[in-house]
Structure formats: C-alpha cells, structure tokens
Amino acid sequence: MSDVRIITGNEAASLAVKLVKPHVIAAYPITPQTSLSEKLSTYVESGELRAEYVRVEGEHSALTVCISASTVGARVFTATSANGLLYMHEQIHWAAGSRLPIVMCCVNRGVGAPWSIFNDQQDSFSQRDAGWIQMYCRNNQEIIDTIIQAYRIAESVYIPVMVCYDGFVLSHTMMPVEIPEESTVREYLPPYKPHTEISPEHPRTVNPVFFPWRRENAEGVLCDGYMEMRYKLQAALLDSAPVIERASDEFARLFGRDHGGMIWEYLTEDADILLTGMGSIAAETTVAVDALRKEGIKAGAVGIRVFRPFPISEVRNAFARAKMIVVFEKCVSYGFTGGMSTDLKSALYGSEVKAPVHNYISGIGGRDVKARELSEAVASSIEMMERGDRDNKTFWLNCHTG
Amino acid sequence: MEKQDTNIAGICSPAIGEAGKTGDWSDLKPVIDHTKCIPSSKNKAACFLCWLYCPDGVVSMSIPVRINLDYCKGCGICAEECPPNAIRMVRKVECDDE
C-alpha cells in the first residue's frame, strides 16, 4: 500500500530524491530551497540514504560537483533558488553541453535586486536558453512524481532536467501526498548508464577546446566541431518531447497518477476562452475557470508543464478552437512581454490559431494572486475583445504604481 | 566511408596537443638551474615536485628534469613549488634577448 502523508513541497522533493537513490548530492542552502537540502543531509547522515553529500561553499560549486560526479557515472541531485541559480549559470550551460542527466530542483523565487525571498519564476525563466529541460509542478504530489520522471527522462535523452516549483506557495505549504512504493520506482527507473565512460582502460579528455571546424582525432576518426556539438543538443532537446510523453504515460500506468505530458488541459473541450500558465498559478487558473463557468463563460485551462522543449505542436492543438488566450505568468522578458507569452505567441505564429493573446504578469516577488483576480482579469479581457480590440496586450495584474 | 566520432558531448580520446602547440600562449617560460635542482644535481630520482604539481603534465620525471615548452602555459606553479628555487620564470621576450 502506498503511504499518504501531509507534507510540504520541499519534503515531497526530498522523499522523491530518497526514492531515486542518487549516488551524489551537492547543494547549498538558499531560501526557499533550504529545508530540501537540510532534509537530504539528514537522510544521508542518518544512513536512510546511502549517498555522498558534498557540502559546498556555493551554488557554482554545487553544480560543479554534480557535473564531475555525473561525468564519472554517478546519479546526482542538486537544488537551488533565485540568485543561487544565477550564480550557477555558467555551470548550467556546462551541464547541458556535456549532456549530463543531472536533475535539479529550482524552488522558484524572485531574483534580486531588490532582494526578495518570495515566489516568482524569473529565476528559472532566466535559464531558459541554456539547453535544459524545464518542468513546472502544480502541487506537492506533482513535485514528487515529476522528480522521479525527471530522472527517467534525463537518463534517456542525456539532457539535464530542472524541476521547478513555486517557493513558499508549494515549498512550504502542506498538502496530502501519496508516497510511491520503492519497488515501483525501481521498476520505473533503470540504473543510470553514462555515455561518459571514464576509466584507466578507456582514458578520455572531457570537453577540451573545441574548434569551429571538424577535425580528426589521434585515431584518424572525424570528430565534431563546437557547432556540431551544439546542434546535437538542440536536436536532442527538440526530439525529447515524445520521450517526456512516454515517461508520463508509463508513470501513469505504474503509479496510477497522470499529470499530463508536455501540457495538461482542464475543461477545454467546448471552451472559447483559454487560460494558461505554469506551476501553481496554472493550478489557480482551474479555480478561475470554475468561477467563469458559473457566470456562463465557456472557459478552460491549458497548463504548460514542460517549458523547454516548448510544446509547440501541443499548444497549437490545444488552442486551435480558442477565441482568446489569457496567459498568467510570474516572469517577464524585460523590454518585451511576459516570458511565457512571448514563447507562446512565437509557437502559434504561422498556425491556424489567430486568437489574441492577453498577458497578465502576476505574483511578482510573492504578491498574492487570487483566483477571483484571475477571473476578473479574464472578464476585462473579454470586454476588450467584444469592443473589437483584438490586439495582443500585456498587463501587470494587481500592480499599483503612482 | 570516413569513420565518424559518435560522442554526443565533448569527449575525445586523449591526443598530444589536442589544441595545437599551446606553449606559444604563454608570456613566461620556466628556466631550470640544474646546479640547484635536486634530481639533476644529486643524480637521484628524488623531489620531482615540479612534475607532481604541473597542471599540464609537461614536466618529465627524468635526470636532468626537462620541461616541454611546446605545451607549457607558463603558469609558474613549478617555480612556486620547487624547494631549492631552481626554477625561475622569465619573460619570453627577455628570454629571446638572452
């Protein structure tokens, strides 16, 4: 029998990590991730988890330890938030370029300046173009399940996976979570088979200077240049979508819980107005959809579960019938619009979907976002559309400036 | 058909000078005073801290000690570690003048 416990998001993440049994964990505590790394160190110290816990002096080192350990064949884990994630930025690229299946939790938090410890998604959004798979969780159950899936995905496609969940909103909020059976996790997740074989019998130079041109190695074998290596990463990322879908389907079959593959949908079948978002705010849009339905508005929600690779064909299908798309998001591409809406509009360009995309930047730096505010925003967007204003718009929700 | 490397990341079988003769990247060059160098002067396989600490592996554990300047980046770690101060780092320009 599976065990149901009422736990925080960080504890859910720590239990997931315990179940996948990484060989090496390296993490530096940063709010709101701290209780996750503390919990993991407790498991290791008490012997509940047989892993090497490397205490590092900062996040750059945390990911560096994971990169090194993963290179020599270890299953690894790390976690961070906000400025810690930005501090590891160089190594974020290094991990992806080395094609290492590292799994990292990003407990989403606003980045300084000004200083904030509260939630938004600017931190992980700012790592969008580094070559990682990014998955966003709606609730604590999804955190534990997504981390287990993340290892399976990462180790199938050799791309690191960032499992993102909202700081405090989920990380410190308790809710019932079904803890998967260890034996089922073993069945779902095969041992890590590294592509980086490092041994005295097979000596290898890892990531030396790569030249713009292709060249022959000492054995006369034609080797890629830098550009070919980056192309391979891009191709693998684009090809990873079916792997993510399969990992999700197989998870649903074995564990009985389906959180969606690349996206998830809520009451979309007959919907004219589609609300969308990532993470906990996407879960909140389902409450807003219920409220709008009570008022006779045919609303539905489409949650973006995987932000990279961006679910291009999935959103084109999901929004095919939409008369209006309303994006709620907790990040901004400064100097342009909200980060997710930028990508969404780009994915819809050239498709049959011609619905205007209204974008509400919300919950920045932990500002509370209520379902009522979401449904009011949607109602005002509908009014605009009915007045004949069909432009794509960006608004800051609940932002009061002089 | 040409054999092609199947690695998905930057992994190579080791080869000398993967990036060419990188010794010319340096400004400084180590010069050994063999009268002070322990293995060279005592004719004994001893010390070799320069060999141990060289991050580029260009020092040979031989008598006399030799440094392969084709690949030496001129970091000066060997000079720093050498107990009898037998190695000094000299500017290459200065060196050429000598």
Side-chain angles (χ1 to χ4, degrees):
Chain A
M1 267 298 284
S2 291
D3 177 20
V4 176
R5 292 187 219 169
I6 299 174
I7 51 172
T8 62
N10 278 350
E11 191 168 359
S14 73
L15 289 169
V17 175
K18 199 167 116 179
L19 283 165
V20 300
K21 296 188 190 304
H23 305 102
V24 174
I25 299 166
Y28 188 83
I30 179 168
T31 304
Q33 166 263 65
T34 308
S35 54
L36 165 55
S37 53
E38 281 175 353
K39 201 80 192 167
L40 289 172
S41 71
T42 309
Y43 294 149
V44 173
E45 200 63 27
S46 67
E48 284 175 82
L49 174 59
R50 283 169 60 89
E52 187 82 26
Y53 192 100
V54 185
R55 285 167 292 188
V56 288
E57 85 293 353
E59 288 84 351
H60 189 280
S61 301
L63 191 52
T64 306
V65 166
C66 290
I67 288 167
S68 313
S70 184
T71 303
V72 295
R75 178 175 282 167
V76 300
F77 178 79
T78 187
T80 190
S81 292
N83 289 57
L85 180 64
L86 306 193
Y87 185 33
M88 13 169 112
H89 178 73
E90 182 209 358
Q91 300 304 84
I92 297 269
H93 280 274
W94 197 265
S98 309
R99 303 291 302 276
L100 297 170
I102 295 165
V103 172
M104 172 166 75
C105 280
C106 172
V107 187
N108 287 118
R109 161 186 150 181
V111 296
W115 205 234
S116 170
I117 57 162
F118 301 105
N119 166 240
D120 65 38
Q121 293 170 348
Q122 193 66 39
D123 51 358
S124 53
F125 173 73
S126 300
Q127 308 304 316
R128 180 189 64 170
D129 300 331
W132 284 52
I133 290 171
Q134 281 198 4
M135 304 176 81
Y136 286 78
C137 305
R138 274 172 285 179
N139 53 48
N140 295 358
Q141 183 69 62
E142 211 170 309
I143 294 171
I144 198 165
D145 295 347
T146 304
I147 292 170
I148 296 166
Q149 288 181 33
Y151 276 96
R152 168 125 163 191
I153 296 161
E155 293 170 9
S156 302
V157 297
Y158 294 116
I159 295 174
V161 179
M162 200 181 290
V163 178
C164 307
Y165 56 93
D166 289 326
F168 294 109
V169 181
L170 297 179
S171 68
H172 287 63
T173 305
M174 295 179 115
M175 54 184 88
V177 173
E178 193 176 325
I179 315 300
E181 290 277 359
E182 201 179 314
S183 56
T184 324
V185 175
R186 290 280 77 76
E187 191 185 336
Y188 178 75
L189 186 67
Y192 167 42
K193 281 193 197 138
H195 68 88
T196 45
E197 193 185 349
I198 311 284
S199 71
E201 292 76 37
H202 302 280
R204 290 289 180 271
T205 308
V206 180
N207 289 324
V209 177
F210 264 53
F211 292 97
W213 53 86
R214 302 164 84 206
R215 84 232 183 288
E216 281 185 357
N217 72 6
E219 283 112 36
V221 177
L222 188 66
C223 295
D224 291 326
Y226 182 86
M227 192 164 167
E228 283 78 19
M229 280 294 166
R230 305 312 293 190
Y231 171 81
K232 280 183 175 175
L233 172 61
Q234 163 74 341
L237 252 173
L238 293 174
D239 290 344
S240 65
V243 177
I244 296 169
E245 294 280 3
R246 273 200 304 279
S248 180
D249 293 345
E250 180 75 357
F251 190 91
R253 190 181 66 78
L254 277 173
F255 296 86
R257 287 186 296 277
D258 188 356
H259 305 293
M262 300 293 283
I263 62 168
W264 52 264
E265 298 186 32
Y266 179 74
L267 299 181
T268 52
E269 272 184 18
D270 62 338
D272 297 327
I273 313 295
L274 286 174
L275 285 63
T276 184
M278 298 192 293
S280 65
I281 198 165
E284 200 73 8
T285 62
T286 62
V287 183
V289 163
D290 289 341
L292 290 162
R293 289 254 168 192
K294 274 186 191 158
E295 289 170 27
I297 297 165
K298 282 188 187 172
V302 177
I304 305 293
R305 182 168 180 249
V306 181
F307 184 49
R308 280 292 180 277
F310 197 80
I312 302 169
S313 58
E314 288 83 356
V315 295
R316 285 180 169 196
N317 287 334
F319 294 118
R321 283 190 61 255
K323 292 185 179 149
M324 168 165 253
I325 300 163
V326 188
V327 183
F328 293 99
E329 58 186 319
K330 293 186 171 185
C331 61
V332 191
S333 176
Y334 284 99
F336 198 24
T337 63
M340 197 194 112
S341 71
T342 307
D343 285 5
L344 180 65
K345 282 184 271 193
S346 167
L348 297 179
Y349 182 81
S351 75
E352 292 302 307
V353 187
K354 302 289 181 239
V357 178
H358 278 202
N359 173 209
Y360 289 87
I361 291 155
S362 50
I364 295 292
R367 179 145 305 172
D368 196 20
V369 189
K370 296 180 177 69
R372 178 178 49 76
E373 291 167 330
L374 302 187
S375 49
E376 283 169 5
V378 173
S380 79
S381 280
I382 293 170
E383 267 178 40
M384 265 179 265
M385 188 177 63
E386 283 172 352
R387 284 201 306 268
D389 182 351
R390 293 190 60 81
D391 279 354
N392 296 323
K393 302 264 186 198
T394 300
F395 308 92
W396 285 61
L397 187 69
N398 202 7
C399 179
H400 313 282
T401 53
Chain B
M1 200 175 137
E2 206 165 24
K3 264 175 78 183
Q4 190 154 347
D5 186 40
T6 52
N7 281 310
I8 57 167
I11 298 165
C12 314
S13 46
I16 295 170
E18 198 70 59
K21 290 194 173 179
T22 50
D24 60 5
W25 291 0
S26 62
D27 287 337
L28 298 170
K29 156 184 164 168
V31 174
I32 306 176
D33 179 348
H34 289 285
T35 61
K36 287 187 188 169
C37 169
I38 294 166
S40 303
S41 62
K42 308 280 184 203
N43 197 25
K44 266 189 181 170
C47 184
F48 292 127
L49 287 179
C50 49
W51 166 83
L52 180 67
Y53 282 100
C54 174
D56 266 324
V58 298
V59 181
S60 62
M61 209 165 49
S62 58
I63 301 170
V65 170
R66 281 191 303 272
I67 298 176
N68 186 340
L69 296 178
D70 282 345
Y71 301 104
C72 169
K73 311 287 192 304
C75 69
I77 290 174
C78 54
E80 184 67 28
E81 295 297 335
C82 179
N85 294 322
I87 304 175
R88 74 189 170 96
M89 301 303 292
V90 292
R91 292 218 164 269
K92 277 193 164 172
V93 179
E94 193 182 317
C95 210
D96 293 343
D97 291 345
E98 278 174 7

